[in-house]
Amino acid sequence: MSKAAEQYLELAFRLGKHLDNLVDSYYGPPEISERVEAEEPRDPSSLAEDAARIRDRADNRWLEAQLTALETAARKLAGEDISYQDEIERYYGIPAEWIPEERFDEAHRKLDEALPGTGSLAERYQAWREGATLSGEPLTRVVESLAAEVRRRTDERFGLPDGESIAWQFVSDEPWAAYNHYLGDLRSRIEVNTDTPLNPTFLMHVVAHETYPGHHTEHAWKEQLLVREQGRIEETLALNGSPQSVVAEGIAELSVEMAFGDEEHDVTAEQVAGSGVAYDPEVSRAVKEATQDLHVAGNVAWMIHADGRSTDEARDYLMRWVLTSERRTDQALRFIADPMWRSYSITYIEGYRLCRDWVAGDPERFKRLLTEQLTTADLL
């Protein structure tokens, strides 16, 4: 076990005493977390110094990048004034960018052509998103069926370590749509938030994102290859607000494309048949293509945290461009306004772009993302 890796884990747990949700999951040696749990909380300034010292002794660039993120979190806790833009660069190893509204205008134009019916664009989009949704027993059945199909395809295309497994749980009152809790021993528990209706297109994305070949697949392969076979214990901890987050979310956002390609919407139609929910694969395909550049959350976070704009202004901006209901808008704002998650939304946008461009449709390169210790600097 690398000394720098052990110190990295200790530092993450020490900072986690000050920051809820900094550590997303951990399945490494219990004595490390237990040792830190028994300590008194340490001053954030000293933790920032520890991060810089450990980074100087780190033996690989992945650890160096993760330690830069931890140092940034500690400096913020110590009261250092770090701009939103600098926070993103130091946390994630990528530049902060404002997305021009011209892209959103073009997305609206394509969406207007794709959606049937009459009324405003927002009314038609919400009708498509909210009108044919799954809940209750049909939701459970379709989720499990989709997961079985995407698992089969993932195993064929990228392989899966022996003994991996997932379990589903349906929850409410959370700021996210779904969440993967990786438990170690090649197992995940995936929670799905039922507060907002789930239409089949979004449900397909959620299932692949959280399971196969998304978060669960990445965690399981890295546990098998990097932790069990190579002893890289730093991989036993998932750290929010780090380059690791960008790569992980990029893999998950790209997962549907890598598993299904052009068949995504036809397979979704097959899976929801008999559920009582209407689903038009051609309209759904056109809507997804139209909204590929409708990534507004990063701009909203910039407005609130960099420009100091009010939540009401940010809410109006989000509703204008994303065309969602008030309920969905409020859920998104809850996530963006949270101090822990305020810059996290860019991990989906930039992670997808980085991984998509680096993979360039090659299954072997995607398999490398799932199995190797790559960071954002490797993908830029």
Side-chain angles (χ1 to χ4, degrees):
M1 148 185 338
S2 157
K3 185 63 175 175
E6 183 177 356
Q7 291 175 333
Y8 160 73
L9 296 177
E10 291 174 339
L11 178 63
F13 287 122
R14 285 173 184 140
L15 267 173
K17 289 188 169 187
H18 300 275
L19 280 173
D20 291 341
N21 298 316
L22 177 70
V23 175
D24 180 65
S25 64
Y26 178 69
Y27 60 90
E31 60 269 20
I32 295 177
S33 57
E34 290 168 359
R35 182 164 63 243
V36 175
E37 181 62 29
E39 297 175 354
E40 290 295 318
R42 298 197 185 179
D43 179 67
S45 331
S46 68
L47 295 179
E49 293 172 1
D50 288 346
R53 176 179 50 79
I54 300 166
R55 184 178 60 236
D56 290 342
R57 299 176 184 174
D59 53 7
N60 67 66
R61 64 191 288 171
W62 189 92
L63 263 181
E64 291 172 4
Q66 294 295 106
L67 285 159
T68 296
L70 285 176
E71 180 187 11
T72 303
R75 291 193 182 283
K76 282 185 63 184
L77 279 169
E80 185 172 322
D81 186 16
I82 298 175
S83 72
Y84 176 73
Q85 293 89 334
D86 285 346
E87 175 184 317
I88 286 177
E89 188 155 358
R90 294 188 205 178
Y91 272 169
Y92 305 112
I94 54 177
E97 295 183 354
W98 175 270
I99 299 176
E101 281 93 353
E102 288 79 7
R103 292 192 201 175
F104 307 153
D105 274 323
E106 179 62 12
H108 282 196
R109 185 191 64 78
K110 292 179 180 177
L111 195 57
D112 190 40
E113 294 176 355
L115 288 168
T118 58
S120 70
L121 181 59
E123 289 170 341
R124 285 183 290 140
Y125 184 52
Q126 289 175 32
W128 175 82
R129 240 189 119 158
E130 318 285 353
T133 58
L134 290 148
S135 60
E137 188 277 331
L139 173 63
T140 303
R141 179 164 48 83
V142 172
V143 162
E144 291 175 349
S145 178
L146 282 172
E149 176 61 16
V150 75
R151 184 189 184 281
R152 180 185 70 78
R153 288 172 178 253
T154 297
D155 196 21
E156 286 178 355
R157 298 181 185 192
F158 311 110
L160 288 166
D162 291 339
E164 58 76 30
S165 65
I166 62 171
W168 294 94
Q169 186 173 353
F170 297 89
V171 300
S172 60
D173 193 29
E174 297 290 354
W176 33 256
Y179 210 103
N180 175 295
H181 296 273
Y182 192 68
L183 308 174
D185 198 26
L186 310 181
R187 297 174 298 118
S188 287
R189 183 182 79 252
I190 293 90
E191 295 182 350
V192 178
N193 188 356
T194 59
D195 282 346
T196 52
L198 297 166
N199 76 10
T201 299
F202 184 60
L203 191 59
M204 168 65 93
H205 178 84
V206 164
V207 169
H209 181 110
E210 304 296 344
T211 62
Y212 308 101
H215 288 320
H216 169 73
T217 305
E218 182 198 5
H219 282 307
W221 264 128
K222 288 179 177 174
E223 179 179 0
Q224 178 62 42
L225 299 177
L226 301 182
V227 179
R228 293 182 175 183
E229 297 181 16
Q230 299 179 31
R232 298 189 186 183
I233 62 165
E234 66 270 22
E235 280 287 351
T236 62
L237 184 141
L239 184 71
N240 286 321
S242 71
Q244 182 188 34
S245 307
V246 180
V247 176
E249 297 298 355
I251 290 170
E253 287 291 282
L254 190 58
S255 60
V256 173
E257 294 174 33
M258 297 308 299
F260 292 100
D262 293 337
E263 297 180 276
E264 173 190 346
H265 301 284
D266 294 325
V267 172
T268 303
E270 293 170 5
Q271 294 293 319
V272 301
S275 68
V277 173
Y279 179 79
D280 186 325
E282 294 309 315
V283 171
S284 296
R285 183 178 289 110
V287 168
K288 183 171 181 178
E289 290 174 359
T291 55
Q292 290 241 333
D293 284 330
L294 205 55
H295 298 301
V296 181
N299 283 13
V300 174
W302 185 304
M303 290 173 66
I304 295 172
H305 303 298
D307 295 342
R309 308 278 282 278
S310 71
T311 303
D312 286 342
E313 287 179 279
R315 188 174 187 273
D316 290 343
Y317 186 93
L318 191 60
M319 287 193 72
R320 174 190 174 190
W321 290 116
V322 184
L323 307 169
T324 51
S325 65
E326 291 186 8
R327 186 177 186 182
R328 287 191 186 276
T329 300
D330 290 341
Q331 184 184 38
L333 274 176
R334 179 181 170 191
F335 186 80
I336 294 167
D338 188 290
M340 181 64 227
W341 301 110
R342 72 178 204 167
S343 61
Y344 196 86
S345 58
I346 65 102
T347 64
Y348 302 99
I349 304 161
E350 295 304 320
Y352 170 72
R353 182 183 62 79
L354 280 174
C355 290
R356 178 200 63 199
D357 293 349
W358 190 82
V359 168
D362 183 351
E364 289 304 313
R365 287 178 78 87
F366 187 75
K367 179 68 177 287
R368 288 185 61 192
L369 286 176
L370 292 173
T371 57
E372 295 181 21
Q373 204 173 51
L374 299 172
T375 191
T376 50
D378 299 310
L379 306 184
L380 285 168

